[in-house]
Amino acid sequence: MREDVQSLDIRDVTANWVNAQILERQIGDRIKALADLSHTPLFFGRLDYLHAPGADRAEGAEGERFYIGRRHVHDQDGDPMVIDWRAPVSQPFYRASKKDPMDVGLRRRFGYTGGDLTAYEDEHLSDPAEAATTSKLLQREIERPRVGPMRDIVATIQPEQDEIVRSGLSGSVCVQGGPGTGKTAVGLHRVAYLLYAHRERLARTGTLVIGPNRSFLHYIEQVLPALGELAVRQATVDDLVAQVEVRGTDEAPAAVVKGDARMAEVLRRALYSHVTLPTEPVVVVRGSRRWRVPAYELEGLVRELLARDIRYGAARDALPQRVAHAVLVQMERAGEAPDDRVQDAVARNSAVKAAVKAVWPPVDPAKLVLRLLTDPEFLAEHAEGILTGDEQKTILWARPARSVKSARWSAADAVLIDEATDLVERTHSLGHVVLDEAQDLSPMQYRAVGRRCSTGSATVLGDLAQGTTPWATRSWQEALAHLGKADAVIEELTAGFRVPTDVITYASRLLPHIAPGLTPVASVRENPGFFEVRAVSEDADVISACEELLHNEGSTGLIAADARVPVLAGALTAAGIAFLAPGEETTRETRLTLVPASLAKGLEYDYVVLDEPSAVVDAEPDERTGLRRLYVALTRAVSGLVVTHATGLPPQLT
């Protein structure tokens, strides 16, 4: 298939060099999408239907066989050899069961080792004599060691996951899922499915995956390309709102207030305070004639635009045309016959432009936010009845900046500027946005994301128990309202595929303290995993635990409180153990990653050493946030976990 694309001759089908460039780029993208992945098999399953799908199921009708894979594959004659996993005919591979065989006589799963076919397993779904069993190949695939970036799960998608993956483009979905339930994979595969089912529409409107940090995005970046999807953009929330350079940080109380949804109204008030009602008429001179628009008529035009509640910039652009129209009405009454060109000329008249600038001046969003954060009187005027006096003092800068460029903006300030920018000019909306680790976003960050999918749909992924910011989401209903998707369907995944039973059971001791009411994750893995809590006396004992786990196949992560990372890095170096930073790809030679607890979210390792749980808790501004951070760190292991502590464990774990 790739060679067919490479051999295309476009010299006689392009009208000009521009078309040729566009077509060459499209061909290049197609060639990239058809690249061979050495360890990724073309097919992983087979379905033998009792009757041909869509055909009359009359007695004697012949069945049909389909091989299911990551990509559609056809032969030289164009006949399909492998059916894309997203096609409707492939759906029974994930949904069919002994109770509902969906007209499938046989489902076959293929097992691979390093890209080589090594096993297969059959289920005769329509045979009442065969009992339902748990797939050994499925278990083996789920428990396969993790080395390198995140991989796709097309061979192991479960029925409850498939239902979310194939949900329609028109509706938004929120997935609450505990550690290891596959919510990130579900979100990515839903993007792949939507691109398959609505390719032309999403090619026009665009898709975006939003992750918590660059390390996480690097970890997941190969999943969609492996499924042949290369056009999906990936970004963090900070990337989306990067209109100013972020060089400062906020204390937690200030960040909480700046991230509060009430700030949107403060910004709106501050912006529209620049509009002043006119007190003088506008006099337009054209040739020997003078046309006068009285102040009361101008005031009516301004009030009408304010009442329409359109963007500040759009209203400002519309005002000179409204004034020009008023002049044209006078011209017509005087017997003239002006056309659109005359109206445009009047709108550009210096007197009209001066009046508009005085009444509806241009506003720079960054300067507006800077004034709010540095001018106590300006903030008090527009935050009255919204923010308390103490809250206003909390967000005011101690040292006012001289200019936008010299200001030490924080991440929360950048979100405020993005909000103000949207009040001036509407933000471009995409067709679909996936928001992962959503529980850590502030209401203002939700609004920033919501602007990017105001005319599209969203897939929101997260776990309330893993909220590790002081402003973490309290409920999905509240979060979805800030996102502008209050009607989104909320789904819950409770079957754990990644974290071993003993590990998730231990971590779930924290749930009553961090997220009461959430259903604990139930591991479906047959292997209980390796788990040990170990008292140590020095850092060398922590390094020894890492060395022990490195004897196993797969990756190992050493997770510690951020302040402990430099100390442990020195100890690893002294012991001659090579290690990586989060986001760097593990290799066969270097399989240990040293992970600050603040960056552990969303990552996974075959084996984990968790250093000093109490230090992880104490590093956060409050106990609840600290316990949530600890819950995240405890649930990064796929095969085994060793908890080391020189001081006492948090009482919630004992």
Side-chain angles (χ1 to χ4, degrees):
M1 290 169 65
R2 186 175 63 254
E3 289 170 356
D4 286 345
V5 179
Q6 289 171 331
S7 65
L8 289 174
D9 186 351
I10 64 171
R11 287 175 296 182
D12 297 330
V13 297
T14 53
N16 52 54
W17 70 270
V18 175
N19 288 346
Q21 290 285 323
I22 294 172
L23 192 53
E24 284 179 7
R25 179 175 178 179
Q26 291 174 340
I27 290 174
D29 290 342
R30 177 65 174 162
I31 292 171
K32 288 180 183 177
L34 289 171
D36 285 319
L37 302 176
S38 59
H39 297 295
T40 303
L42 286 176
F43 61 92
F44 51 80
R46 190 184 104 188
L47 289 177
D48 290 5
Y49 279 87
L50 298 177
H51 308 87
D56 184 6
R57 296 189 181 183
E59 189 173 336
E62 292 187 7
E64 199 165 351
R65 173 178 298 172
F66 299 95
Y67 285 86
I68 313 300
R70 288 166 174 78
R71 306 291 309 281
H72 167 83
V73 181
H74 60 248
D75 62 17
Q76 292 180 340
D77 298 324
D79 294 327
M81 299 177 66
V82 178
I83 305 299
D84 194 301
W85 66 275
R86 297 166 287 189
V89 75
S90 303
Q91 186 171 333
F93 184 79
Y94 304 106
R95 301 272 189 101
S97 64
K98 294 291 290 186
K99 291 184 178 179
D100 181 14
M102 301 176 72
D103 199 44
V104 173
L106 179 141
R107 173 169 56 196
R108 173 170 290 178
R109 300 180 191 274
F110 295 98
Y112 292 85
T113 302
D116 295 327
L117 178 61
T118 54
Y120 69 88
E121 180 182 79
D122 288 346
E123 297 174 87
H124 297 88
L125 298 177
S126 298
D127 184 357
E130 183 178 294
T133 59
T134 302
S135 169
K136 299 296 183 183
L137 283 181
L138 198 61
Q139 282 289 334
R140 194 169 74 186
E141 175 64 20
I142 290 171
E143 298 179 8
R144 184 155 57 95
R146 265 73 167 166
V147 175
M150 181 180 178
R151 59 178 184 260
D152 65 74
I153 62 165
V154 289
T156 61
I157 294 174
Q158 299 300 292
E160 64 273 17
Q161 296 174 325
D162 188 66
E163 188 173 341
I164 298 171
V165 166
R166 296 177 192 266
S167 54
L169 177 61
S170 59
S172 294
V173 178
C174 175
V175 182
Q176 158 63 41
T181 54
K183 55 186 178 294
T184 297
V186 165
L188 294 175
H189 288 68
R190 186 178 183 218
V191 171
Y193 172 77
L194 293 175
L195 286 168
Y196 174 87
H198 308 277
R199 189 165 301 281
E200 290 188 7
R201 177 176 171 183
L202 290 178
R204 294 193 308 270
T205 56
T207 50
L208 172 67
V209 174
I210 302 174
N213 51 58
R214 301 307 308 179
S215 296
F216 178 83
L217 292 178
H218 180 72
Y219 176 64
I220 68 171
E221 67 183 357
Q222 296 302 319
V223 174
L224 289 170
L227 301 174
E229 303 299 344
L230 305 174
V232 180
R233 180 185 163 207
Q234 295 185 351
T236 65
V237 174
D238 291 343
D239 294 333
L240 298 182
V241 301
Q243 300 181 44
V244 293
E245 183 182 359
V246 174
R247 297 184 295 152
T249 56
D250 285 316
E251 295 292 331
V256 169
V257 177
K258 289 179 181 179
D260 195 296
R262 293 174 296 164
M263 288 299 299
E265 177 60 20
V266 175
L267 288 166
R268 193 195 67 79
R269 285 187 185 180
L271 175 63
Y272 282 92
S273 70
H274 291 79
V275 179
T276 56
L277 296 177
T279 57
E280 299 291 334
V282 174
V283 179
V284 178
V285 178
R286 283 186 60 80
S288 61
R289 302 295 300 269
R290 295 163 61 88
W291 307 98
R292 183 176 182 274
V293 181
Y296 73 85
E297 189 171 349
L298 289 175
E299 180 180 336
L301 296 176
V302 172
R303 289 188 182 278
E304 181 187 353
L305 287 171
L306 288 171
R308 289 187 61 189
D309 195 29
I310 60 177
R311 295 295 193 279
Y312 184 93
R316 186 177 186 277
D317 292 340
L319 184 55
Q321 290 291 337
R322 298 295 180 91
V323 176
H325 179 72
V327 172
L328 258 66
V329 170
Q330 294 184 31
M331 290 180 176
E332 290 170 348
R333 288 173 181 168
E336 297 188 16
D339 56 17
D340 290 345
R341 290 175 297 177
V342 175
Q343 180 167 329
D344 290 339
V346 173
R348 294 192 301 269
N349 182 275
S350 59
V352 174
K353 290 166 69 175
V356 170
K357 185 175 181 179
V359 171
W360 208 298
V363 177
D364 179 82
K367 289 181 179 178
L368 177 70
V369 174
L370 183 63
R371 186 180 177 190
L372 275 172
L373 298 177
T374 57
D375 186 339
E377 293 182 359
F378 188 67
L379 176 61
E381 177 185 356
H382 302 297
E384 183 180 0
I386 300 176
L387 302 180
T388 66
D390 288 341
E391 287 174 327
Q392 294 175 35
K393 291 178 182 177
T394 299
I395 64 173
L396 280 168
W397 290 0
R399 296 181 180 179
R402 294 182 179 179
S403 67
V404 169
K405 288 188 176 181
S406 65
R408 294 185 60 82
W409 298 106
S410 68
D413 297 333
V415 178
L416 295 179
I417 294 172
D418 189 73
E419 178 83 26
T421 302
D422 183 70
L423 289 169
V424 174
E425 184 176 353
R426 183 181 297 276
T427 303
H428 174 68
S429 174
L430 299 167
H432 191 76
V433 170
V434 175
L435 176 60
D436 205 354
E437 300 294 349
Q439 71 280 347
D440 274 342
L441 268 60
S442 69
M444 290 299 284
Q445 287 176 315
Y446 275 115
R447 290 175 62 89
V449 174
R451 288 190 282 277
R452 271 77 185 178
C453 57
S454 58
T455 59
S457 56
T459 301
V460 180
L461 313 167
D463 179 11
L464 296 178
Q466 296 186 60
T468 51
T469 56
W471 51 84
T473 300
R474 289 172 291 191
S475 74
W476 289 123
Q477 289 82 359
E478 180 182 330
L480 292 168
H482 293 310
L483 191 69
K485 305 294 181 186
D487 58 347
V489 176
I490 300 176
E491 303 281 1
E492 187 171 10
L493 297 176
T494 58
F497 304 98
R498 173 169 54 81
V499 186
T501 301
D502 290 352
V503 175
I504 196 64
T505 300
Y506 183 72
S508 294
R509 295 182 184 183
L510 299 175
L511 283 180
H513 308 281
I514 60 176
L518 273 191
T519 304
V521 172
S523 179
V524 299
R525 299 177 57 145
E526 293 184 348
N527 181 1
F530 172 74
F531 173 66
E532 182 181 348
V533 178
R534 186 181 298 179
V536 298
S537 57
E538 54 187 5
D539 293 338
D541 297 330
V542 179
I543 306 306
S544 295
C546 293
E547 290 178 311
E548 291 175 28
L549 295 182
L550 284 170
H551 287 120
N552 300 306
E553 183 184 1
S555 59
T556 298
L558 171 55
I559 303 177
D562 291 30
R564 289 270 297 156
V565 168
V567 176
L568 294 173
L572 287 169
T573 302
I577 301 176
F579 61 93
L580 304 166
E584 295 180 340
E585 190 170 327
T586 56
T587 64
R588 297 293 174 184
E589 294 74 29
T590 306
R591 295 181 290 112
L592 176 66
T593 304
L594 178 56
V595 187
S598 62
L599 296 181
K601 189 170 297 179
L603 304 180
E604 60 181 34
Y605 303 94
D606 285 291
Y607 294 90
V608 168
V609 176
L610 174 58
D611 169 74
E612 212 60 73
S614 292
V616 174
V617 176
D618 294 341
E620 301 299 328
D622 59 82
E623 185 181 63
R624 187 179 187 185
T625 303
L627 291 173
R628 287 181 167 184
R629 183 77 71 189
L630 177 59
Y631 181 75
V632 171
L634 283 168
T635 53
R636 299 304 95 198
V638 174
S639 299
L641 170 68
V642 176
V643 178
T644 61
H645 65 101
T647 59
L649 291 169
Q652 293 84 356
L653 283 179
T654 57

